[in-house]
């Protein structure tokens, strides 16, 4: 493979070749034009000399007795003075005199009438010929002129012929060629550095522009092409610089827009998935990656491959087909069960061609869960309210019967109605408490509270019921125990609900005690009893709303199923924890903690 020449070298060789061709043509022209030019000049000279000789010959011939010896002397004379060979020829072709021969030699010369230049002169008055001379053995140029008769000018009485050897011509030509060679070599030697400089100078801006263009292609816009010349190259460099500057500005804009978009996408809590027109994933934002546990390997794959969710594929297909936003709630089972409201929209390029699909994932897991909890709660509340109400309604209807029951029965019925009304009242009271705790109104009034005082107040309120069941309530909290910052009224409710449960569920004669201790920087309060205890499978659930171990027993003792959930709510609002420990038949221990002030 031939190595590619760089631009300066190519230009250098092109210019050098052009110069070589030029010099060659000049040389060729010299070779071609110089000999005819020189010969024409020699012929002109010969003509002048022939005419001068003719003048003398004419004078000789006008003598009454032309003397051959005098003619020969004239020929010698003329030949010596002009440096040309002079021949006088008679009208019949006989040689009369010859400058380069002796008298005898001349006499021996053959008839010259047949010589081309003589024949030519015979026809035209003058004639010339170029040929090899046998007499002198070199190439000669001959020139002949007629000598007309002085009495009858149309009669030719003699010819004057002059000749010059042509080695002068070839000498001049080779001399000129030599000079031309020297000149060519000199010009060539001088031209090489000049051409090299010219080639470099001309190609330099182009090479610089090439470098700038290559840098621009690589995204480096820091260099500028030299646009300081006033010609087309300067304009090209200027245009290249403008283009580079515009590209730079455009790229910066695009990058800024991309950075903004990336920032927006990654700060979004909604998951965003973008796919190209072929359905391959191009982008999945941070939220989506976390929610659905997908990584970088998802890029370039189809949604079905990555999510393995046919319903998602259907939404995407719907958006593509209809061109409208497709909307559906979807459940994803992995990595954990989550529900999303998914919106898919088709993207269009400026020309209207489909450019891709964007899918938005709005996590509604919590919302759905809350909705379920709310539904369950409403169902539970309705159920709890309906039971006492239908009992009350039944008894009232019986009492309103046209034949009322016996007064003793009536009294018993009214007592039942009263008990259930009481239950309804308690239930509504608890519901109001739950509602207040959940709403924003339940702001805690935090102040240092004496646990002992609050516990004793609650115990006193329960004293009558405890006495009725022959139970004892002991408050074992020392007066100097550290006071937590708490809402006294809410804390009272906690103690009251725990004591109320203990009095309700512990058999007659049981013992209830309240104690407190400091543990790991927290205050831990314990309410324990020696009642029936709670089975392990129920322990974790008794703090849920409306959860009861034994529904019938709870109702019988006037429970609502809300007591412990209220306790949990209040304790958690204070930043504490609540739990229970128990074993069937071995009593129960309820614990809650409060942060130490
Ligand atoms: P309820 O109004 O039914 O008492 P709670 O939320 O206060 O509702 O209590 C939930 C359940 O926990 C009760 O139904 C009961 O079965 C059980 N429980 C609560 N406290 C005690 C206790 N001290 N001893 C035994 N069981 C208890």
């Amino acid at each position: 493979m031939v190595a590619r020449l760089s631009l300066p070298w190519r230009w250098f060789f092109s210019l050098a070749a052009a110069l070589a061709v030029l010099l060659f043509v000049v040389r060729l022209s010299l070779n071609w034009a110089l000999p005819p030019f020189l010969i024409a000049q020699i012929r002109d000279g010969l003509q002048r000399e022939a005419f001068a000789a003719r003048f003398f010959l004419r004078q000789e011939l006008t003598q009454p007795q032309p003397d051959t010896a005098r003619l020969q002397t004239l020929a010698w004379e003329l030949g010596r003075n002009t440096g040309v060979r002079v021949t006088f020829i008679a009208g019949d072709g006989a040689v009369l005199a010859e400058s380069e021969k002796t008298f005898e030699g001349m006499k021996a010369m053959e008839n010259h009438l047949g010589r081309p230049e003589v024949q030519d002169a015979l026809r035209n008055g003058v004639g010339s010929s170029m040929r090899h001379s046998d007499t002198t053995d070199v190439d000669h140029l001959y020139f002949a002129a007629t000598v007309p008769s002085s009495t009858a000018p149309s009669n030719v009485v003699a010819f004057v012929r002059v000749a010059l050897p042509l080695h002068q011509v070839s000498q001049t030509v080779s001399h000129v060629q030599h000079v031309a060679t020297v000149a060519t070599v000199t010009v060539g030697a001088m031209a090489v550095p000049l051409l090299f400089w010219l080639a470099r100078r001309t190609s330099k801006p182009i090479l610089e522009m090439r470098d700038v263009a290559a840098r621009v292609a690589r995204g480096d816009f820091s260099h500028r092409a030299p646009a300081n010349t006033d010609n087309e190259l300067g304009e090209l460099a200027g245009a290249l610089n403008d283009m580079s500057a515009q590209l730079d500005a455009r790229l910066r804009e695009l990058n800024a827009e991309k950075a903004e978009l990336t920032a927006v996408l990654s700060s979004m809590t909604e998951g965003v998935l973008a796919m190209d027109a072929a359905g391959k994933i191009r982008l999945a934002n941070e939220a989506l990656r976390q929610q659905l546990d997908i990584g970088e390997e998802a890029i370039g794959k189809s949604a079905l491959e990555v999510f393995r969710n046919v319903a998602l594929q259907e939404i995407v297909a719907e958006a593509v087909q209809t061109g409208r936003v497709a909307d559906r709630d979807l459940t994803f089972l992995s990595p954990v069960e989550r529900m999303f409201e998914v919106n898919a929209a088709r993207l269009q390029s400026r020309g209207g061609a489909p450019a891709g699909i964007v899918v938005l994932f709005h996590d509604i897991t919590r919302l759905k869960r809350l909705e379920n909890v709310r539904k369950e709660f409403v169902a539970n509340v309705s159920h709890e309210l309906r039971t006492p109400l239908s009992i009350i309604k039944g008894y009232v209807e019986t009492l309103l019967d046209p034949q009322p029951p016996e007064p003793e029965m009536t009294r018993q019925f009214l007592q039942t109605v009263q008990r259930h009304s009481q239950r309804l009242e308690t239930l509504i009271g608890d519901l109001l408490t739950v509602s207040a705790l959940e709403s924003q109104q339940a702001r805690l009034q935090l102040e240092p509270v004496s646990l002992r005082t609050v516990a004793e107040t609650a115990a006193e309120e329960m004293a009558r019921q405890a006495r009725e069941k022959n139970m004892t309530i002991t408050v074992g909290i020392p007066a100097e125990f550290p006071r937590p910052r708490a809402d006294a009224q809410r804390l009272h409710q906690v103690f009251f609900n725990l004591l109320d449960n203990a009095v309700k569920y512990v058999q007659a004669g049981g013992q209830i005690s309240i104690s407190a201790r400091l543990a790991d920087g927290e205050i831990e309060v314990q309410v324990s009893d020696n009642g029936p205890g709670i089975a392990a499978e129920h322990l974790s659930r008794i703090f849920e709303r409306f959860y009861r171990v034994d529904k019938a027993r709870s109702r019988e003792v006037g429970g609502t199923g809300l007591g412990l959930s209220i306790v949990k709510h209040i304790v958690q609002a204070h930043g504490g924890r609540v739990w229970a420990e128990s074993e069937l038949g071995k009593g129960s221990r309820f614990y809650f903690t409060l942060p130490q002030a």
Side-chain angles (χ1 to χ4, degrees), residues 425-468:
E425 199 188 350
T426 320
L427 185 64
I428 289 165
D430 278 357
L431 282 173
L432 286 174
T433 308
V434 169
S435 157
L437 284 170
E438 280 185 351
S439 74
Q440 286 300 315
Q441 299 158 12
R443 289 257 165 76
L444 298 178
Q445 307 281 324
L446 293 181
E447 55 188 344
V449 173
S450 160
L451 280 176
R452 183 186 157 101
T453 312
V454 178
E456 276 179 344
T457 314
E460 270 163 31
E461 282 170 12
M462 293 305 299
R464 190 178 55 80
Q465 279 113 306
R467 255 200 316 277
E468 278 171 10

Tab-separated table of all heavy atoms in Angstrom, residues 425-468:
chain	number	residue	atom	x	y	z
A	425	GLU	N	-72.569	4.076	74.831
A	425	GLU	CA	-71.949	5.325	75.261
A	425	GLU	C	-70.425	5.159	75.353
A	425	GLU	O	-69.651	5.978	74.851
A	425	GLU	CB	-72.509	5.744	76.620
A	425	GLU	CG	-72.268	7.203	76.900
A	425	GLU	CD	-72.649	7.581	78.339
A	425	GLU	OE1	-73.266	6.747	79.038
A	425	GLU	OE2	-72.299	8.694	78.722
A	426	THR	N	-70.011	3.996	75.969
A	426	THR	CA	-68.577	3.733	76.105
A	426	THR	C	-67.920	3.624	74.725
A	426	THR	O	-66.852	4.188	74.460
A	426	THR	CB	-68.343	2.406	76.856
A	426	THR	OG1	-69.281	2.312	77.907
A	426	THR	CG2	-66.932	2.310	77.402
A	427	LEU	N	-68.632	2.878	73.855
A	427	LEU	CA	-68.092	2.668	72.511
A	427	LEU	C	-67.915	3.999	71.784
A	427	LEU	O	-66.849	4.282	71.208
A	427	LEU	CB	-69.041	1.752	71.735
A	427	LEU	CG	-68.574	1.327	70.351
A	427	LEU	CD1	-67.307	0.482	70.453
A	427	LEU	CD2	-69.660	0.508	69.660
A	428	ILE	N	-68.945	4.827	71.869
A	428	ILE	CA	-68.868	6.119	71.185
A	428	ILE	C	-67.774	6.985	71.810
A	428	ILE	O	-67.021	7.663	71.105
A	428	ILE	CB	-70.248	6.821	71.176
A	428	ILE	CG1	-71.152	6.040	70.193
A	428	ILE	CG2	-70.140	8.278	70.761
A	428	ILE	CD1	-72.615	6.343	70.319
A	429	GLY	N	-67.663	6.879	73.135
A	429	GLY	CA	-66.594	7.627	73.829
A	429	GLY	C	-65.226	7.197	73.315
A	429	GLY	O	-64.375	8.035	72.960
A	430	ASP	N	-65.023	5.864	73.218
A	430	ASP	CA	-63.731	5.353	72.730
A	430	ASP	C	-63.480	5.776	71.276
A	430	ASP	O	-62.366	6.149	70.899
A	430	ASP	CB	-63.694	3.820	72.814
A	430	ASP	CG	-63.334	3.361	74.234
A	430	ASP	OD1	-63.078	4.243	75.071
A	430	ASP	OD2	-63.329	2.137	74.494
A	431	LEU	N	-64.565	5.711	70.459
A	431	LEU	CA	-64.417	6.101	69.048
A	431	LEU	C	-64.012	7.564	68.939
A	431	LEU	O	-63.163	7.925	68.115
A	431	LEU	CB	-65.732	5.874	68.289
A	431	LEU	CG	-66.021	4.422	67.910
A	431	LEU	CD1	-67.431	4.299	67.329
A	431	LEU	CD2	-64.995	3.904	66.905
A	432	LEU	N	-64.625	8.395	69.807
A	432	LEU	CA	-64.277	9.817	69.779
A	432	LEU	C	-62.814	10.013	70.166
A	432	LEU	O	-62.111	10.845	69.587
A	432	LEU	CB	-65.197	10.616	70.711
A	432	LEU	CG	-66.619	10.822	70.171
A	432	LEU	CD1	-67.501	11.497	71.220
A	432	LEU	CD2	-66.596	11.673	68.892
A	433	THR	N	-62.381	9.190	71.174
A	433	THR	CA	-60.976	9.288	71.586
A	433	THR	C	-60.055	8.913	70.421
A	433	THR	O	-59.084	9.617	70.115
A	433	THR	CB	-60.702	8.345	72.767
A	433	THR	OG1	-61.667	8.601	73.778
A	433	THR	CG2	-59.313	8.549	73.343
A	434	VAL	N	-60.380	7.785	69.739
A	434	VAL	CA	-59.566	7.340	68.593
A	434	VAL	C	-59.522	8.442	67.544
A	434	VAL	O	-58.465	8.810	67.021
A	434	VAL	CB	-60.148	6.044	67.991
A	434	VAL	CG1	-59.497	5.731	66.655
A	434	VAL	CG2	-59.964	4.885	68.953
A	435	SER	N	-60.712	8.982	67.267
A	435	SER	CA	-60.805	10.015	66.239
A	435	SER	C	-59.973	11.237	66.631
A	435	SER	O	-59.249	11.791	65.800
A	435	SER	CB	-62.275	10.369	66.045
A	435	SER	OG	-62.394	11.627	65.503
A	436	ALA	N	-60.076	11.630	67.904
A	436	ALA	CA	-59.314	12.808	68.366
A	436	ALA	C	-57.811	12.545	68.275
A	436	ALA	O	-57.039	13.420	67.883
A	436	ALA	CB	-59.698	13.146	69.803
A	437	LEU	N	-57.413	11.302	68.638
A	437	LEU	CA	-55.977	10.979	68.597
A	437	LEU	C	-55.453	11.010	67.163
A	437	LEU	O	-54.319	11.387	66.913
A	437	LEU	CB	-55.735	9.586	69.202
A	437	LEU	CG	-55.786	9.512	70.719
A	437	LEU	CD1	-55.774	8.062	71.172
A	437	LEU	CD2	-54.608	10.252	71.337
A	438	GLU	N	-56.317	10.576	66.229
A	438	GLU	CA	-55.852	10.521	64.838
A	438	GLU	C	-55.855	11.873	64.153
A	438	GLU	O	-55.084	12.105	63.241
A	438	GLU	CB	-56.710	9.530	64.047
A	438	GLU	CG	-56.255	8.114	64.324
A	438	GLU	CD	-56.971	7.075	63.496
A	438	GLU	OE1	-57.944	7.437	62.815
A	438	GLU	OE2	-56.562	5.907	63.559
A	439	SER	N	-56.737	12.739	64.610
A	439	SER	CA	-56.790	14.047	63.952
A	439	SER	C	-55.681	14.943	64.506
A	439	SER	O	-55.060	14.654	65.519
A	439	SER	CB	-58.149	14.684	64.173
A	439	SER	OG	-58.216	15.137	65.493
A	440	GLN	N	-55.483	16.033	63.851
A	440	GLN	CA	-54.417	16.960	64.244
A	440	GLN	C	-54.696	17.630	65.595
A	440	GLN	O	-53.781	18.162	66.209
A	440	GLN	CB	-54.255	18.034	63.170
A	440	GLN	CG	-53.581	17.527	61.909
A	440	GLN	CD	-52.183	16.984	62.194
A	440	GLN	OE1	-51.401	17.584	62.918
A	440	GLN	NE2	-51.890	15.816	61.644
A	441	GLN	N	-56.005	17.562	66.031
A	441	GLN	CA	-56.327	18.232	67.298
A	441	GLN	C	-55.597	17.592	68.475
A	441	GLN	O	-55.438	18.185	69.525
A	441	GLN	CB	-57.825	18.141	67.590
A	441	GLN	CG	-58.694	18.788	66.552
A	441	GLN	CD	-60.108	18.229	66.595
A	441	GLN	OE1	-60.487	17.530	67.519
A	441	GLN	NE2	-60.886	18.551	65.573
A	442	ALA	N	-55.180	16.328	68.228
A	442	ALA	CA	-54.587	15.588	69.347
A	442	ALA	C	-53.163	16.053	69.629
A	442	ALA	O	-52.253	15.255	69.728
A	442	ALA	CB	-54.601	14.100	69.042
A	443	ARG	N	-52.998	17.338	69.741
A	443	ARG	CA	-51.664	17.842	70.088
A	443	ARG	C	-51.415	17.565	71.561
A	443	ARG	O	-52.275	17.818	72.393
A	443	ARG	CB	-51.609	19.357	69.870
A	443	ARG	CG	-51.617	19.738	68.419
A	443	ARG	CD	-50.184	20.121	67.996
A	443	ARG	NE	-50.080	20.147	66.549
A	443	ARG	CZ	-50.570	21.128	65.795
A	443	ARG	NH1	-51.150	22.150	66.380
A	443	ARG	NH2	-50.452	21.085	64.495
A	444	LEU	N	-50.263	17.070	71.847
A	444	LEU	CA	-49.982	16.737	73.258
A	444	LEU	C	-49.568	17.988	74.027
A	444	LEU	O	-48.822	18.813	73.498
A	444	LEU	CB	-48.861	15.700	73.304
A	444	LEU	CG	-49.165	14.356	72.632
A	444	LEU	CD1	-47.941	13.452	72.704
A	444	LEU	CD2	-50.354	13.674	73.288
A	445	GLN	N	-50.086	18.112	75.231
A	445	GLN	CA	-49.686	19.220	76.112
A	445	GLN	C	-48.559	18.690	76.997
A	445	GLN	O	-48.813	18.132	78.062
A	445	GLN	CB	-50.856	19.654	77.005
A	445	GLN	CG	-52.137	19.972	76.259
A	445	GLN	CD	-52.073	21.355	75.635
A	445	GLN	OE1	-51.488	22.275	76.225
A	445	GLN	NE2	-52.620	21.512	74.447
A	446	LEU	N	-47.354	18.808	76.529
A	446	LEU	CA	-46.250	18.176	77.266
A	446	LEU	C	-45.789	19.038	78.438
A	446	LEU	O	-45.603	20.245	78.292
A	446	LEU	CB	-45.064	17.916	76.325
A	446	LEU	CG	-45.299	16.874	75.233
A	446	LEU	CD1	-44.061	16.692	74.387
A	446	LEU	CD2	-45.744	15.533	75.812
A	447	GLU	N	-45.657	18.365	79.586
A	447	GLU	CA	-45.144	19.029	80.800
A	447	GLU	C	-44.613	17.921	81.713
A	447	GLU	O	-44.986	16.765	81.547
A	447	GLU	CB	-46.265	19.801	81.495
A	447	GLU	CG	-47.442	18.898	81.788
A	447	GLU	CD	-48.661	19.644	82.306
A	447	GLU	OE1	-48.523	20.791	82.721
A	447	GLU	OE2	-49.732	19.044	82.283
A	448	PRO	N	-43.737	18.264	82.642
A	448	PRO	CA	-43.251	17.220	83.557
A	448	PRO	C	-44.428	16.676	84.375
A	448	PRO	O	-45.182	17.438	84.957
A	448	PRO	CB	-42.241	17.960	84.441
A	448	PRO	CG	-41.913	19.205	83.694
A	448	PRO	CD	-43.125	19.568	82.919
A	449	VAL	N	-44.549	15.384	84.318
A	449	VAL	CA	-45.718	14.772	84.959
A	449	VAL	C	-45.231	13.771	86.022
A	449	VAL	O	-44.278	13.026	85.776
A	449	VAL	CB	-46.572	14.043	83.899
A	449	VAL	CG1	-47.697	13.263	84.554
A	449	VAL	CG2	-47.127	15.021	82.891
A	450	SER	N	-45.940	13.756	87.186
A	450	SER	CA	-45.600	12.764	88.214
A	450	SER	C	-46.344	11.484	87.885
A	450	SER	O	-47.576	11.436	87.917
A	450	SER	CB	-46.007	13.279	89.589
A	450	SER	OG	-46.097	12.181	90.473
A	451	LEU	N	-45.587	10.438	87.515
A	451	LEU	CA	-46.196	9.156	87.144
A	451	LEU	C	-47.009	8.608	88.308
A	451	LEU	O	-48.087	8.049	88.136
A	451	LEU	CB	-45.101	8.160	86.767
A	451	LEU	CG	-44.520	8.285	85.349
A	451	LEU	CD1	-43.375	7.304	85.169
A	451	LEU	CD2	-45.600	8.014	84.314
A	452	ARG	N	-46.455	8.791	89.507
A	452	ARG	CA	-47.107	8.252	90.712
A	452	ARG	C	-48.502	8.868	90.876
A	452	ARG	O	-49.483	8.139	91.095
A	452	ARG	CB	-46.219	8.597	91.913
A	452	ARG	CG	-46.726	8.052	93.235
A	452	ARG	CD	-45.819	8.610	94.341
A	452	ARG	NE	-46.505	8.607	95.617
A	452	ARG	CZ	-46.300	7.674	96.538
A	452	ARG	NH1	-45.463	6.679	96.302
A	452	ARG	NH2	-46.935	7.733	97.694
A	453	THR	N	-48.583	10.218	90.730
A	453	THR	CA	-49.859	10.904	90.912
A	453	THR	C	-50.873	10.431	89.880
A	453	THR	O	-52.022	10.100	90.218
A	453	THR	CB	-49.658	12.434	90.766
A	453	THR	OG1	-48.546	12.804	91.548
A	453	THR	CG2	-50.897	13.196	91.176
A	454	VAL	N	-50.418	10.370	88.578
A	454	VAL	CA	-51.351	9.982	87.518
A	454	VAL	C	-51.835	8.549	87.756
A	454	VAL	O	-53.032	8.262	87.655
A	454	VAL	CB	-50.669	10.120	86.143
A	454	VAL	CG1	-51.611	9.665	85.033
A	454	VAL	CG2	-50.233	11.538	85.902
A	455	ALA	N	-50.909	7.650	88.098
A	455	ALA	CA	-51.281	6.247	88.330
A	455	ALA	C	-52.244	6.138	89.514
A	455	ALA	O	-53.234	5.377	89.456
A	455	ALA	CB	-50.021	5.425	88.578
A	456	GLU	N	-51.977	6.897	90.596
A	456	GLU	CA	-52.843	6.815	91.793
A	456	GLU	C	-54.244	7.331	91.488
A	456	GLU	O	-55.239	6.744	91.940
A	456	GLU	CB	-52.212	7.615	92.939
A	456	GLU	CG	-51.183	6.748	93.676
A	456	GLU	CD	-50.481	7.477	94.813
A	456	GLU	OE1	-50.574	8.729	94.832
A	456	GLU	OE2	-49.865	6.792	95.628
A	457	THR	N	-54.328	8.423	90.690
A	457	THR	CA	-55.648	8.964	90.336
A	457	THR	C	-56.452	7.912	89.581
A	457	THR	O	-57.632	7.665	89.873
A	457	THR	CB	-55.477	10.218	89.436
A	457	THR	OG1	-54.486	11.042	90.009
A	457	THR	CG2	-56.776	10.962	89.289
A	458	ALA	N	-55.802	7.257	88.610
A	458	ALA	CA	-56.505	6.230	87.827
A	458	ALA	C	-56.916	5.070	88.739
A	458	ALA	O	-58.025	4.534	88.620
A	458	ALA	CB	-55.594	5.732	86.713
A	459	ALA	N	-56.015	4.705	89.647
A	459	ALA	CA	-56.312	3.590	90.561
A	459	ALA	C	-57.510	3.928	91.446
A	459	ALA	O	-58.370	3.062	91.696
A	459	ALA	CB	-55.083	3.282	91.407
A	460	GLU	N	-57.572	5.186	91.904
A	460	GLU	CA	-58.704	5.593	92.760
A	460	GLU	C	-60.015	5.492	92.005
A	460	GLU	O	-61.031	5.064	92.550
A	460	GLU	CB	-58.493	7.031	93.245
A	460	GLU	CG	-57.732	7.069	94.564
A	460	GLU	CD	-57.155	8.449	94.831
A	460	GLU	OE1	-57.775	9.449	94.379
A	460	GLU	OE2	-56.066	8.527	95.421
A	461	GLU	N	-59.936	5.900	90.699
A	461	GLU	CA	-61.167	5.843	89.900
A	461	GLU	C	-61.644	4.401	89.732
A	461	GLU	O	-62.828	4.155	89.568
A	461	GLU	CB	-60.921	6.475	88.517
A	461	GLU	CG	-60.925	7.987	88.575
A	461	GLU	CD	-60.442	8.605	87.268
A	461	GLU	OE1	-60.328	7.883	86.258
A	461	GLU	OE2	-60.153	9.808	87.271
A	462	MET	N	-60.695	3.477	89.746
A	462	MET	CA	-61.066	2.075	89.575
A	462	MET	C	-61.333	1.391	90.932
A	462	MET	O	-61.691	0.211	90.958
A	462	MET	CB	-59.944	1.301	88.857
A	462	MET	CG	-59.705	1.684	87.421
A	462	MET	SD	-61.201	1.554	86.423
A	462	MET	CE	-61.574	-0.166	86.585
A	463	ALA	N	-61.131	2.133	92.006
A	463	ALA	CA	-61.180	1.534	93.354
A	463	ALA	C	-62.521	0.852	93.635
A	463	ALA	O	-62.569	-0.263	94.183
A	463	ALA	CB	-60.879	2.600	94.403
A	464	ARG	N	-63.639	1.498	93.232
A	464	ARG	CA	-64.954	0.938	93.550
A	464	ARG	C	-65.118	-0.434	92.883
A	464	ARG	O	-65.421	-1.418	93.556
A	464	ARG	CB	-66.047	1.897	93.079
A	464	ARG	CG	-67.439	1.537	93.579
A	464	ARG	CD	-68.460	2.551	93.107
A	464	ARG	NE	-68.479	2.732	91.667
A	464	ARG	CZ	-69.105	1.896	90.837
A	464	ARG	NH1	-69.731	0.827	91.288
A	464	ARG	NH2	-69.082	2.107	89.548
A	465	GLN	N	-64.820	-0.458	91.534
A	465	GLN	CA	-64.969	-1.747	90.835
A	465	GLN	C	-64.023	-2.802	91.436
A	465	GLN	O	-64.400	-3.963	91.582
A	465	GLN	CB	-64.636	-1.620	89.337
A	465	GLN	CG	-65.761	-1.060	88.515
A	465	GLN	CD	-65.412	0.301	87.953
A	465	GLN	OE1	-65.040	1.185	88.749
A	465	GLN	NE2	-65.542	0.469	86.649
A	466	ALA	N	-62.815	-2.367	91.808
A	466	ALA	CA	-61.839	-3.312	92.365
A	466	ALA	C	-62.358	-3.874	93.681
A	466	ALA	O	-62.265	-5.086	93.934
A	466	ALA	CB	-60.497	-2.601	92.583
A	467	ARG	N	-62.925	-2.956	94.492
A	467	ARG	CA	-63.456	-3.424	95.777
A	467	ARG	C	-64.573	-4.438	95.561
A	467	ARG	O	-64.624	-5.460	96.222
A	467	ARG	CB	-63.982	-2.215	96.574
A	467	ARG	CG	-63.047	-1.815	97.710
A	467	ARG	CD	-63.758	-0.979	98.759
A	467	ARG	NE	-64.616	0.044	98.235
A	467	ARG	CZ	-64.192	1.256	97.829
A	467	ARG	NH1	-62.899	1.557	97.877
A	467	ARG	NH2	-65.042	2.124	97.345
A	468	GLU	N	-65.453	-4.134	94.581
A	468	GLU	CA	-66.572	-5.040	94.291
A	468	GLU	C	-66.069	-6.446	93.962
A	468	GLU	O	-66.710	-7.437	94.258
A	468	GLU	CB	-67.391	-4.513	93.093
A	468	GLU	CG	-68.378	-3.440	93.506
A	468	GLU	CD	-69.029	-2.754	92.303
A	468	GLU	OE1	-68.860	-3.247	91.159
A	468	GLU	OE2	-69.667	-1.705	92.507
